[in-house]
Amino acid sequence: MSTSEPSGIDASVQAELIRLRESIDNIDAAVVHMLAERFKCTQQVGHLKARHHLPPADPAREARQITRLRELAQSAKLDPGFAEKLLNFIIAEVIRHHETIADKEQGQP
């Protein structure tokens, strides 16, 4: 039991909190692992783009992905605006990685 929990919480409530928080912790771990897998794939894309002198960003693809993710979020009862913000954050990080890969493959520091 966390020491930050107020004393006097009903034992059944405390047990339910623990159960739910364990689920949240498991989901968080899965999200981190899924993001790691996603970034492994985007790193491969970055190397492919660099080898073929393609730009790090693909605005048309990004727009399609945002539309797709908003639709998925809506069907999953998740705020589409939140999903879009999350994807925009991920896309910005991917583009940064692609720029770094391109610089390295072109011999820039």
Side-chain angles (χ1 to χ4, degrees):
M1 177 162 85
S2 171
T3 57
S4 65
E5 294 299 334
S7 60
I9 292 180
D10 182 89
S12 65
V13 172
Q14 186 63 35
E16 184 69 0
L17 276 172
I18 290 169
R19 184 189 68 76
L20 290 168
R21 288 176 175 164
E22 287 173 351
S23 291
I24 290 167
D25 292 349
N26 289 336
I27 293 165
D28 287 347
V31 167
V32 167
H33 288 285
M34 292 300 295
L35 283 171
E37 284 300 310
R38 188 186 196 288
F39 277 101
K40 286 177 188 173
C41 290
T42 61
Q43 291 289 325
Q44 292 174 22
V45 169
H47 287 286
L48 185 62
K49 284 182 171 184
R51 281 193 305 273
H52 295 280
H53 307 286
L54 298 170
D58 183 346
R61 161 113 173 121
E62 294 156 19
R64 287 190 308 272
Q65 285 296 94
I66 288 168
T67 299
R68 180 178 159 271
L69 198 69
R70 286 184 67 89
E71 290 169 358
L72 287 170
Q74 193 164 13
S75 70
K77 307 229 183 313
L78 179 68
D79 176 12
F82 170 77
E84 182 173 347
K85 287 177 192 173
L86 177 62
L87 186 60
N88 281 329
F89 178 79
I90 292 169
I91 288 170
E93 188 68 9
V94 167
I95 290 169
R96 188 181 68 76
H97 290 179
H98 288 184
E99 291 168 343
T100 301
I101 291 166
D103 289 347
K104 286 180 181 176
E105 292 205 10
Q106 293 172 5
Q108 298 177 11

